[in-house]
Amino acid sequence: MIFLLGLSLFWLMVAIPSSSNGDQDVKSVLSAHNASLATNNPLPIGPAEFDVRFFFTPRPQLVDRKQIFDFVTNMLAAEALKDFNGLLPGKTISFFDPRYPHVTIVANSLVYSPGMPRSHLFWGMARIMDHMTKTSLFIASNFALLWEGRPAGGLSITLHAPDQEDKHTGTTLLLRPPGRQQNATAASDALDFTTFEHKFHGSLLSVEDVCMGAIGALVQAAQLPYRTAEYAFVGGFVPYHAVQSWSSFGGEPVLDREMVVKGVYESTRYAIAHDDFHELNVRILEMGLVFAEGGYIRYPPLLSGLDGRVNTSTS
């Protein structure tokens, strides 16, 4: 079903405001793992020309906060391994996570477009989740995407019975954690030798801080080249306090985008699964060898020099 951008008599279309502090640069205030990063991070909410409106019903269906955070971070992590400037593979794409069979996220392009720009998916979900978080209103709804005030597509978060077939037509993308091959079968999952080591430490953050920081970092990581010449990646979503910081292990001057994406999602998934939102350190191993390490930290920190991992200088 093609997403209707017109206004129904029973729907109220409301603007999703931009974050007032969205132009602050996380990299300008952090130096992590002895890395000096001067490159500006792109804004998770996208450029000024991009906007989102949502359609609100008087009887909204509530969405579990932690489940939708986990769903969205998994979805963005899967898409972050693809071409940020490319198109989704079809006019209507339904994202399905088998861990949450009652939830579907649908992306609809305009009739004359072969597919939604992947960048719009990232910017749209960042704005939607930011709005839900700031209003404490986690609901299933339809969202209109706009470019320079004109319709540019739509996103929907829908709820249905777990055993009920999704009514949306088009292509369904089955999500898997990015530590696994996205198109692998259960038998071939063994081909992925990625493992993780986790350690909670330091300050306690909120689930919103951790998950919104991860969403911002995934939008930013998706725009990295496959391999970067930098020692580290630092990303987040101002004004949320959890900042994702990752470095190649052993001082190697190359950091794979895939490693960053795996790490960002794994740290978020692990926190949600353990219902623990203290700062978290994660090591990424391939066949037993450490390739990258990082996690999320609180910024600004409650205590300076925590674990020797954070330099709070703004210079």
Side-chain angles (χ1 to χ4, degrees):
M1 179 185 299
I2 299 299
F3 180 85
L4 297 179
L5 295 172
L7 200 61
S8 165
L9 293 176
F10 301 98
W11 297 81
L12 175 65
M13 188 165 73
V14 183
I16 296 182
S18 301
S19 172
S20 60
N21 295 321
D23 57 350
Q24 295 185 26
D25 176 22
V26 174
K27 288 186 177 181
S28 69
V29 296
L30 274 181
S31 176
H33 299 286
N34 298 317
S36 177
L37 301 178
T39 303
N40 289 332
N41 263 346
L43 298 180
I45 60 174
E49 295 86 351
F50 183 79
D51 202 1
V52 174
R53 299 288 188 272
F54 77 93
F55 297 89
F56 179 73
T57 57
R59 295 181 181 179
Q61 292 179 287
L62 297 180
V63 180
D64 184 273
R65 178 184 54 162
K66 292 179 182 177
Q67 289 184 5
I68 194 63
F69 271 135
D70 196 14
F71 190 120
V72 170
T73 52
N74 188 19
M75 179 183 73
L76 295 184
E79 291 300 309
L81 301 178
K82 303 171 186 177
D83 180 10
F84 182 81
N85 296 310
L87 300 178
L88 297 182
K91 289 182 176 295
T92 299
I93 301 296
S94 298
F95 293 94
F96 178 77
D97 189 325
R99 299 170 304 165
Y100 308 116
H102 58 291
V103 181
T104 305
I105 294 180
V106 182
N108 286 289
S109 64
L110 296 179
V111 174
Y112 55 79
S113 174
M116 176 184 290
R118 191 167 283 109
S119 58
H120 289 192
L121 173 70
F122 278 93
W123 298 332
M125 290 311 307
R127 284 181 179 252
I128 290 166
M129 298 307 296
D130 181 47
H131 177 75
M132 286 186 175
T133 299
K134 289 177 176 176
T135 60
S136 298
L137 195 62
F138 292 84
I139 60 172
S141 187
N142 296 325
F143 303 85
L145 308 185
L146 306 176
W147 183 264
E148 295 184 335
R150 298 181 179 88
L155 291 169
S156 301
I157 299 175
T158 64
L159 295 179
H160 47 83
D163 57 350
Q164 180 182 11
E165 184 178 356
D166 181 42
K167 296 180 180 180
H168 293 90
T169 60
T171 303
T172 298
L173 296 183
L174 180 66
L175 298 174
R176 295 174 179 268
R180 298 291 183 185
Q181 298 176 15
Q182 293 298 316
N183 58 354
T185 63
S188 65
D189 271 353
L191 296 175
D192 190 340
F193 295 102
T194 304
T195 57
F196 305 92
E197 295 177 350
H198 314 80
K199 180 183 178 183
F200 287 111
H201 65 92
S203 301
L204 179 65
L205 296 103
S206 68
V207 59
E208 292 85 0
D209 278 328
V210 170
C211 295
M212 289 306 301
I215 288 171
L218 287 170
V219 177
Q220 293 156 353
Q223 299 173 69
L224 293 172
Y226 179 73
R227 307 193 83 185
T228 89
E230 298 180 358
Y231 286 91
F233 166 85
V234 178
F237 199 143
V238 175
Y240 301 100
H241 293 297
V243 173
Q244 289 277 344
S245 173
W246 293 88
S247 71
S248 55
F249 191 76
E252 292 295 326
V254 171
L255 187 63
D256 286 351
R257 185 206 323 173
E258 183 178 0
M259 286 294 177
V260 174
V261 170
K262 283 183 177 181
V264 171
Y265 176 68
E266 175 60 21
S267 65
T268 311
R269 182 208 65 78
Y270 190 82
I272 293 174
H274 289 79
D275 198 26
D276 188 336
F277 299 95
H278 284 83
E279 293 174 298
L280 179 62
N281 178 263
V282 179
R283 283 187 168 187
I284 305 177
L285 299 87
E286 296 284 348
M287 299 183 67
L289 299 176
V290 180
F291 272 67
E293 70 172 333
Y296 58 82
I297 55 178
R298 179 186 173 91
Y299 189 86
L302 295 177
L303 297 173
S304 62
L306 193 61
D307 278 6
R309 296 182 64 244
V310 183
N311 176 2
T312 59
S313 171
T314 59
S315 59

